[in-house]
Every structure is written in structure tokens, then in C-alpha cells.
Amino acid sequence: MNIPDELKERIKTAKNVAVFTGAGISAESGIPTFRGKDGIWNKFRPEELANFDAFIKNPELVWEWYNHRRKIISETKPNNGHFAIKELENIFDDVRVITQNVDNLHKRAGSKAIYELHGNIEKNFCIKCKKRFDFIELIESDKLLKCDCGGLIRPGVVWFGEMLPEKVFAEAENFARKTDLFFIVGTSAVVYPAALMPIYAKESGSYLIEINIEATEITYSVHHSFFGQSGEVLPELLEKIKLILTGE
Ligand code: BJW
Ligand code: ZN
């Protein structure tokens, strides 16, 4: 792995570090991505199922998709990529994860500061009275679930056409703008406004490093790309960072 000189210099002085992640970070844990050649949601375009109208039109189908994904997620574990990100906390002063993922794997890997831009698949709420329902009581049932008020219960994730959680987004933007290093891992970077995060970081003078198996929408805007699987690239990069900081 070749580290560009400018990145080496940045690593030596960096304090605030963000890691912006997408579905690709969890691919090696066994969770399919949305798009791309291995994206098994290719048979269901996310734009078609991950929206409120689809839910109202066919709540059974949307629940089936989410229950299927919950089952996959419950059977997976964080991978070496998630753990390498957690370990960055031992190296830099302030490390935060800004994730588009809803799978909880950063939390399970031990990362402390996580901004979940698209919600969390373990959370659910009633579309009428907004009462919250947790994962455990819901996963038991395959039937369509309704709240005491009669409203349908939906997953606590952000669908197309919906606003992202305002406070979470604002805090993530604020941190992105303060970063010295900004990693972009396993995302196609096509979904907005989440994909603005690297742009905010770059506008504010951060150094952008992409890790992906292939070129993406963001490749031309980043300072450096490492092409490979994040579960392999991130641990290797972590070791290089340690060597750079110990002067070896
Ligand atoms: C690996 C790897 C390995 C694989 N190692 N790498 C036209 C232009 C611009 C914007 C819009 C537009 N029309 C509509 C919009 C807005 C829309 C949008 O962005 N659409 C675009 C797709 C065109 N956005 C919204 O609607 C958002 N809300 C919004 O804008 O509100 C304002 C508003 C309000 C009212 C009316 C209108 C607007 C909300 C977006 C919500 C996205 N939700 C989802 C589903 C979440 C719940 C769930 O999980 O079911 O979020 S969609 C899906 O995409 C999910 C993801 O978080 C998100 C991003 O995907 P991600 O993570 O990048 O995954 P992939 O699969 O795309 O990429 C995986 C990558 O990994 C690939 O690059 C692989 O190469 C790589 N990889 N293995 C390293 N081992
Ligand atoms: Zn209700």
C-alpha cells in the first residue's frame, strides 16, 4: 500500500477524523449492498421499496423486505473494517462515524460517536401517533403490525422523499467541517443529502480518502482513493498510520 506524501503529513497533524460509511463497509459481514454489481437489491430498486408511498400501497411487501434484512443483520457480525474504524479512536483525538447504514454494526464494533443519517432498522414507530416500538417485540411476528391507535407501524429508517433527522444531520455536518481527515468507505455516494458530507469536509479544507472496491461518483473529488475491500484495506491502512506516527 502506497501512502502519498501529503497524506502522510496530514496524518501526523490530524486531530479530528470522520469516517463516512455506506453499505460496502458491511458487505464483508454478509449484508448485501443496494447498488453495484453485487447489490442483491438489484431485483428491488431501493427507490421503489424505500419510500412511504410503496409502504402505503403494499405494507406487507415492504415489511417482508425489512424483516428479511433484519434477519440477515441479526446473523452477522462487524468485520475487520468496522473494528479498524473503532481503533482509530486510540490514535486521533476525536473520531466520529457518519453512517448511512441502518445495521448497527459500527455500534456493535464499539465505535463511540456515531451519526446515523438514515435511521436504524431496529427502531420502528407508528405512522399515526409516532409511538416507538422496539425490535424485539416486532421481529416475532410476520403479520402486519398495528399500533393501539390503529396506525401502521413502520421501520425507523429514512425513505426517499423524507427528511433526514435534523439534529443528527446538523451535528454531522458541523463535525465534517472541522475534520482534518475524512474517510469515505463503501458508498456509491449517489444519495443526497448524505453525499454532501464529503463536500462539506472538502470545502472546509479536510483531506478526503476514499476506500471502495471500484470508482464512484466521488472518486474524482477525493484526494486519494484506495481500491480494495474495506475489511482488508482499513486494517492495513491502520497499521501504516501507526507506523507513520511512531516515525518508523
Ligand atoms: C465496497 C465493498 C467492500 C461494495 N469494500 N466497498 C435527483 C438528484 C439528486 C437528488 C435527488 C433526486 N431525486 C430525488 C433526490 C433525493 C433523494 C436522492 O438522493 N435520490 C438519488 C438516488 C437520485 N434523496 C432523498 O429522498 C433523501 N431525502 C431528501 O432528499 O429529503 C428532502 C426532500 C424532502 C421531501 C421531498 C423531496 C426531498 C432521503 C434518502 C434516503 C435514502 N434511504 C436509503 C434506505 C434507508 C433505509 C434502508 O436501509 O432500507 O438509504 S436508500 C439506500 O441508499 C440507503 C443507503 O443508506 C443509501 C446509500 O447507499 P450506499 O450506502 O452508498 O450503498 P450502495 O449500495 O449504493 O453502494 C455500496 C458501495 O460499496 C458501492 O460503491 C460498492 O462499490 C462498495 N462496496 N463492497 C468497500 N467490500
Ligand atoms: Zn399509534
Side-chain angles (χ1 to χ4, degrees):
M1 172 183 283
N2 186 37
I3 313 275
D5 288 343
E6 195 192 340
L7 176 53
K8 281 187 191 151
E9 291 313 309
R10 293 285 193 135
I11 288 168
K12 287 179 193 163
T13 55
K15 287 189 165 49
N16 296 336
V17 176
V19 189
F20 175 62
T21 61
I25 181 87
S26 299
E28 288 153 84
S29 291
I31 303 175
T33 59
F34 292 92
R35 305 170 186 84
K37 57 178 162 54
D38 296 322
I40 72 152
W41 312 131
N42 279 342
K43 58 179 177 150
F44 292 126
R45 288 184 62 231
E47 289 80 350
E48 281 164 21
L49 279 188
N51 75 74
F52 190 74
D53 289 347
F55 179 64
I56 294 302
K57 220 185 279 164
N58 196 344
E60 285 90 354
L61 175 68
V62 174
W63 262 117
E64 195 182 317
W65 189 51
Y66 279 94
N67 275 342
H68 171 63
R69 291 174 53 203
R70 283 187 162 114
K71 188 166 181 301
I72 295 175
I73 290 168
S74 71
E75 288 161 358
T76 59
K77 290 196 201 91
N79 64 54
N80 290 339
H82 296 99
F83 289 119
I85 293 170
K86 196 272 170 294
E87 219 188 310
L88 289 173
E89 289 172 11
N90 302 331
I91 299 176
F92 298 104
D93 285 2
D94 194 351
V95 178
R96 303 190 196 177
V97 177
I98 303 173
T99 190
Q100 300 166 86
N101 298 346
V102 297
D103 60 22
N104 260 327
L105 291 187
H106 287 296
K107 194 168 173 211
R108 285 172 58 198
S111 281
K112 287 203 188 80
I114 306 166
Y115 298 112
E116 291 178 321
L117 298 181
H118 290 161
N120 187 306
I121 201 164
E122 292 188 5
K123 294 180 182 154
N124 311 275
F125 65 93
C126 166
I127 61 170
K128 232 164 123 187
C129 72
K130 313 293 178 220
K131 181 177 164 188
R132 286 173 62 166
F133 292 83
D134 76 20
F135 175 66
I136 307 297
E137 54 188 296
L138 279 168
I139 197 88
E140 304 298 325
S141 172
D142 272 351
K143 280 182 275 154
L144 205 54
L145 289 142
K146 282 200 176 168
C147 174
D148 317 331
C149 81
L152 281 171
I153 296 172
R154 60 161 281 181
V157 299
V158 180
W159 285 331
F160 284 105
E162 294 182 331
M163 302 299 284
L164 275 63
E166 221 170 301
K167 190 163 172 275
V168 174
F169 190 85
E171 286 178 9
E173 173 181 351
N174 191 32
F175 187 71
R177 291 190 183 278
K178 289 197 307 200
T179 54
D180 307 300
L181 292 178
F182 192 94
F183 293 91
I184 302 154
V185 185
T187 177
S188 56
V190 294
V191 175
Y192 283 84
L196 290 172
M197 290 295 159
I199 297 169
Y200 296 145
K202 194 175 179 191
E203 274 174 8
S204 312
S206 191
Y207 189 96
L208 271 49
I209 306 130
E210 177 182 44
I211 294 152
N212 202 301
I213 50 170
E214 60 191 21
T216 68
E217 292 287 309
I218 201 88
T219 302
Y220 73 94
S221 315
V222 302
H223 295 96
H224 190 71
S225 292
F226 292 103
F227 292 114
Q229 299 207 313
S230 48
E232 290 171 8
V233 174
L234 278 167
E236 199 182 333
L237 188 55
L238 182 74
E239 290 313 309
K240 292 273 183 197
I241 291 173
K242 288 182 191 165
L243 289 176
I244 291 164
L245 291 172
T246 52
E248 283 168 45

